[in-house]
């Protein structure tokens, strides 16, 4: 075999130090994925946790050099939203489409409409406590009174950037529950 030189080894180690690794947290609905990440990364409840499954939202958590944490919300394009609607309409189980329509009606009554938010440019916010506005289930009992989750039906994914050295070379992905 070929011998690896000290210089080649040193280059490989440096390359690994600068590589970002992705860790995806997966599990069935209500397995404690977000609770685990809240304890591990934030020390408090930044990622919403619910007694009922949420709409599928991928949440990416990455390190930032910026001393201020922030998040960025990405909305579905018109094409993506139409594809989701069509997929739910043609699903064998009509319950999913019914839930989808109910959520749209609920947030629509609050002034949050498909025409306004589908295809919207990303929104950046420095207040992580506002995250639930974008990922909370608007039809969950706990959120109805507080009218949280108004944007949720239109959100594709959220990117959270935190100043936490522990995840400097790691990208954490909080996934929707399996079978959700």
């Amino acid at each position: 075999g070929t011998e690896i030189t000290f210089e080649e080894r040193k280059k490989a180690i440096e390359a690994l130090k600068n590589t970002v690794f992705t860790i995806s947290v997966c599990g069935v609905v209500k397995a404690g994925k977000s609770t685990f990440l809240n304890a591990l990364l934030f020390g408090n409840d930044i990622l919403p946790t619910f007694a009922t499954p949420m709409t599928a939202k991928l949440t990416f958590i990455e390190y930032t050099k910026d001393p201020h944490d922030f998040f960025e919300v990405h909305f579905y394009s018109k094409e993506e939203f139409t594809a989701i609607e069509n997929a739910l309409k043609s699903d064998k189980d009509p319950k999913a489409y019914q839930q989808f329509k109910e959520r749209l009606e609920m947030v629509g009554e609050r002034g949050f409409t498909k025409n306004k938010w589908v295809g919207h440019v990303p929104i950046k916010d420095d207040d992580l406590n506002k995250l639930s506005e974008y990922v909370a289930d608007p039809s969950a009992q706990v959120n109805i009174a507080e009218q949280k989750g108004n944007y949720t039906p239109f959100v594709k994914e959220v990117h959270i950037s935190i100043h936490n050295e522990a995840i400097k070379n790691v990208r954490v992905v909080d996934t929707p529950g399996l079978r959700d």
Side-chain angles (χ1 to χ4, degrees):
T2 2
E3 200 173 305
I4 298 171
T5 66
F6 174 77
E7 202 53 45
E8 288 171 324
R9 225 177 298 154
K10 190 176 168 185
K11 279 183 186 173
I13 290 169
E14 283 308 307
L16 281 173
K17 283 181 183 177
N18 296 316
T19 299
V20 175
F21 295 92
T22 300
I23 299 172
S24 184
V25 179
C26 302
V28 294
V29 174
K30 297 311 300 158
K33 298 176 298 295
S34 296
T35 302
F36 167 71
L37 288 173
N38 279 334
L40 184 70
L41 301 175
F42 301 106
N44 58 359
D45 289 344
I46 295 298
L47 299 170
T49 54
F50 299 108
T52 56
M54 291 172 24
T55 308
K57 300 291 166 243
L58 280 175
T59 304
F60 300 90
I61 306 160
E62 296 177 273
Y63 171 77
T64 180
K65 289 179 187 171
D66 191 325
H68 304 287
D69 298 343
F70 62 91
F71 67 93
E72 192 171 271
V73 179
H74 297 263
F75 295 90
Y76 288 115
S77 69
K78 290 181 182 359
E79 297 78 21
E80 290 167 331
F81 198 83
T82 300
I84 290 167
E85 268 185 307
N86 291 337
L88 289 171
K89 274 183 197 174
S90 64
D91 196 304
K92 292 175 194 142
D93 181 9
K95 193 171 75 175
Y97 182 63
Q98 187 59 39
Q99 271 185 332
F100 175 76
K101 279 188 358 186
E102 285 170 11
R103 285 180 180 143
L104 286 180
E105 285 170 20
M106 182 176 284
V107 299
E109 287 169 9
R110 300 175 190 166
F112 295 82
T113 62
K114 178 170 88 171
N115 289 342
K116 185 173 181 180
W117 292 103
V118 170
H120 198 281
V121 295
I123 291 176
K124 184 179 172 184
D125 199 314
D126 294 336
D127 185 355
L128 294 188
N129 292 312
K130 290 183 183 174
L131 189 62
S132 63
E133 268 303 311
Y134 302 94
V135 297
D137 178 353
S139 60
Q141 201 58 47
V142 68
N143 297 320
I144 292 174
E146 296 180 33
Q147 294 194 355
K148 285 188 176 175
N150 292 321
Y151 304 91
T152 304
F154 317 112
V155 173
K156 178 180 180 179
E157 61 191 38
V158 175
H159 295 257
I160 303 172
S161 297
I162 60 173
H163 188 76
N164 181 339
E165 295 283 328
I167 65 164
K168 199 168 186 175
N169 287 60
V170 178
R171 173 193 230 195
V172 180
V173 184
D174 189 14
T175 63
L178 299 172
R179 293 181 277 157
D180 186 13

